[in-house]
């Protein structure tokens, strides 16, 4: 097992040579390339099978690097960066003239984020430039929260994977669009709307029709292959008591119901806080997806605002095929 320093040195060399590196962040694992190397960035789209119009996030070592990739930066961006970086928040800003339009999917805005995971910090610090990185999964699939997820899904197609254990947040970053006159949240995530509004001192909007394209906003993004339904406890119980429940092969994601007569592998009892639930969600769905059940039934989580990112990812997972 090479030392961490050795692993970082190797990863940096691969990036400098135009290769692709899987690396941990506190949200999910990313697959990164040198944002200054258009060919390397193009390779990310190819490996992910992601349409090239869908922009990538540029990861930075610190907030001061914003000015290298963005222009006309509003005061609100600095305020949010000050409070939430390093951390699970992406800022969409007007792109600087020289910022790679391959990374921005051809748009004149750029998504920037300073991750807090120590390995991501070390990688960015030693590399010294921006790393363009989407989540390290094939387009439309669940984001990886462990190195082995990346290995399973992209292992043969990328040059190296830095293993940083399980991701602390487990859901992708909150995306805040500051490129227009109004502040919009394009994707809920680890930083909540209330936290953002508390810093800005004003309400924020949701993604509007005019907002930049966000692939995560495709209804079926983050879907497992097994059809998934989210339903309140009462309906979940009715489903399980129905005659077909004996033959249908359900996998269950419950809040705190213990497994009745189901085999344990198909019945997951989730953590009770939104933080821990979010951390477990993608790994749990990945695991259940492998069991080849007919359906994954998910008990509807609480509806208080801090659960917004969990509801968002569950709704997308449920929308598959619709
Ligand atoms: O937590 C995260 O954000 C993870 C880690 C690896 O940083 N990354 C991630 O990347 O989730 P990805 O590509 O799977 O999702 C990034 C989202 C996409 O929905 C993309 O459209 C949006 O960020 N995005 C990036 N640049 C944008 C831009 N200029 N305008 C609007 N949306 C943008
Ligand atoms: Mg993604």
């Amino acid at each position: 097992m090479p030392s961490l320093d050795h692993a970082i040195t190797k990863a940096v060399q691969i990036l400098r040579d135009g290769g692709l590196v899987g690396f941990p962040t506190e949200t999910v694992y990313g697959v990164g390339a040198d944002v200054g190397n258009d060919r390397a960035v193009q390779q990310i789209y190819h490996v992910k099978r992601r349409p090239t119009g869908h922009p990538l996030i540029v990861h930075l070592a610190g907030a001061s690097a914003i000015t290298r990739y963005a222009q006309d930066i509003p005061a609100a961006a600095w305020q949010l960066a000050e409070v939430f970086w390093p951390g699970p928040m992406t800022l969409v800003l007007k792109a600087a003239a020289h910022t790679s339009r391959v990374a921005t999917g051809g748009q004149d805005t750029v998504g920037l984020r300073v991750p807090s995971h120590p390995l991501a910090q070390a990688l960015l610090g030693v590399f010294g430039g921006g790393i363009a990185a989407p989540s390290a999964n094939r387009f439309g699939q669940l984001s990886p929260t462990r190195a082995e997820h990346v290995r399973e899904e992209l292992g043969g197609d990328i040059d190296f994977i830095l293993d940083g254990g399980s991701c602390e947040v487990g859901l992708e970053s909150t995306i805040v669009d500051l490129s227009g006159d109004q502040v919009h949240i394009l994707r809920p995530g680890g930083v909540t709307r209330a936290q953002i509004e508390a810093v800005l001192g004003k309400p924020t909007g949701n993604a509007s029709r005019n907002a930049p394209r966000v692939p995560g906003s495709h209804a079926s993004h983050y879907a497992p292959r097994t059809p998934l339904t989210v339903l309140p406890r009462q309906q979940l119980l009715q489903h399980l008591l129905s005659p077909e429940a004996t033959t249908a092969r359900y996998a269950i994601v419950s809040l705190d119901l213990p497994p009745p007569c189901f085999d344990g592998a198909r019945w997951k009892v989730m953590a009770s806080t939104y933080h821990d639930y979010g951390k477990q969600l993608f790994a749990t769905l990945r695991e259940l997806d492998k069991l080849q059940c007919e359906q994954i039934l998910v008990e509807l989580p609480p509806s208080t605002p801090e659960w917004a990112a969990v509801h968002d990812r569950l709704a997308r997972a449920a929308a598959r095929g619709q």
Side-chain angles (χ1 to χ4, degrees):
M1 178 80 185
S3 75
L4 269 186
D5 282 356
H6 179 81
I8 295 289
T9 308
K10 179 171 173 182
V12 166
Q13 194 54 52
I14 289 168
L15 292 174
R16 292 200 175 127
D17 292 342
L20 302 188
V21 172
F23 66 98
T25 79
E26 70 281 16
T27 58
V28 300
Y29 274 73
V31 53
D34 174 3
V35 71
N37 182 334
D38 279 350
R39 276 190 56 173
V41 177
Q42 264 154 3
Q43 190 59 18
I44 293 183
Y45 289 94
H46 178 71
V47 161
K48 269 190 69 104
R49 303 188 190 129
R50 171 163 166 142
T52 50
H54 295 269
L56 310 180
I57 293 172
V58 180
H59 295 70
L60 310 172
S64 61
I66 290 185
T67 52
R68 285 171 65 178
Y69 299 99
Q71 58 183 344
D72 300 341
I73 302 155
W78 295 111
Q79 284 175 314
L80 292 176
E82 167 87 25
V83 177
F84 298 115
W85 279 353
M89 178 189 70
T90 296
L91 299 180
V92 173
L93 297 166
K94 289 196 181 116
H98 63 268
T99 299
S100 163
R101 294 312 193 255
V102 179
T104 70
Q107 303 188 50
D108 289 333
T109 58
V110 62
L112 299 174
R113 174 162 116 77
V114 177
S116 65
H117 193 291
L119 280 190
Q121 279 278 321
L123 180 69
L124 286 156
V126 178
F127 181 61
I131 299 179
S135 52
N137 50 282
R138 302 248 191 241
F139 187 61
Q141 301 303 319
L142 295 164
S143 291
T145 55
R146 293 184 198 145
E148 62 260 31
H149 300 161
V150 184
R151 209 167 290 125
E152 275 170 24
E153 202 159 325
L154 300 181
D157 292 335
I158 64 180
D159 300 292
F160 187 53
I161 300 170
L162 277 171
D163 188 342
S166 284
C167 299
E168 184 51 39
V169 177
L171 302 177
E172 305 84 349
S173 60
T174 305
I175 303 182
V176 188
D177 182 8
L178 293 156
S179 65
D181 294 338
Q182 277 210 315
V183 181
H184 290 288
I185 295 186
L186 302 184
R187 179 175 73 183
V191 176
T192 64
R193 179 186 298 276
Q195 286 176 297
I196 288 169
E197 292 181 348
V199 170
L200 297 180
K202 60 177 182 188
T204 53
N206 279 313
S208 73
R209 278 222 191 143
N210 298 328
R213 288 160 291 170
V214 186
S217 64
H218 285 201
S220 69
H221 219 66
Y222 315 116
R225 290 178 183 83
T226 315
L228 180 147
T229 308
V230 183
L231 65 192
R233 172 170 300 190
Q234 214 44 44
Q235 282 182 36
L236 174 70
L237 292 174
Q238 275 167 15
H239 248 79
L240 296 178
L241 292 174
S242 72
E244 69 207 60
T246 48
T247 50
R249 298 206 55 217
Y250 292 133
I252 310 295
V253 179
S254 92
L255 290 173
D256 53 12
L257 283 174
C261 50
F262 263 67
D263 96 55
R266 292 195 284 131
W267 188 289
K268 298 291 170 197
V269 179
M270 298 294 276
S272 56
T273 64
Y274 72 91
H275 177 270
D276 291 344
Y277 187 110
K279 180 173 174 172
Q280 296 172 340
L281 181 61
F282 287 154
T284 301
L285 294 182
R286 242 171 219 275
E287 211 182 306
L288 295 180
D289 209 14
K290 285 188 182 153
L291 302 179
Q292 303 194 318
C293 296
E294 281 166 31
Q295 263 201 75
I296 300 174
L297 302 180
V298 180
E299 184 177 358
L300 184 69
S303 55
T304 42
E306 63 274 15
W307 286 81
V310 166
H311 282 284
D312 174 78
R313 303 312 189 273
L314 284 175
R316 293 175 202 287
R320 187 182 170 82
Q322 289 177 13

